[in-house]
Amino acid sequence: LSSSSAASDVYKRQGMDDDGVEVAFTPFGMVKSAYESNTTGTGLGLPLAKRMMEIHGGTITIESQPKLGTRVTLVFPTERIITAVSVD
């Protein structure tokens, strides 16, 4: 494996329990597995994403299981979706 795919494989398998998901949505919250590994961050990404989705009337949800992985889903309201416009 290349170093990038190996890192990606490790990241996919982190996962969080329900308490970890709650911590991840807290500003500066760092889930234990994140700060024990070689990942870096400030703990602001998910709280900012959640707030931006709320501002736009959308939702963000996290489905996660320890050692299996995490899925983050963003749902945007249709009135916030911009369709492509061709420029002739």
Side-chain angles (χ1 to χ4, degrees):
L1 291 172
S2 70
S3 61
S4 62
S5 64
S8 175
D9 188 50
V10 169
Y11 181 73
K12 286 185 215 172
R13 294 187 180 169
Q14 292 295 313
M16 300 175 275
D17 59 19
D18 291 341
D19 291 336
V21 171
E22 188 174 331
V23 168
F25 275 128
T26 304
F28 302 104
M30 298 287 287
V31 180
K32 185 176 181 182
S33 63
Y35 62 79
E36 286 179 343
S37 68
N38 290 330
T39 60
T40 60
T42 60
L44 291 174
L46 284 171
L48 287 172
K50 181 180 180 190
R51 185 65 188 126
M52 291 298 293
M53 291 305 294
E54 291 169 349
I55 288 169
H56 289 284
T59 60
I60 181 171
T61 57
I62 294 181
E63 300 170 58
S64 189
Q65 291 183 358
K67 299 184 180 167
L68 290 178
T70 300
R71 176 181 303 184
V72 179
T73 304
L74 305 170
V75 178
F76 294 87
T78 54
E79 64 270 11
R80 289 299 201 187
I81 297 173
I82 300 172
T83 57
V85 177
S86 67
V87 179
D88 295 322

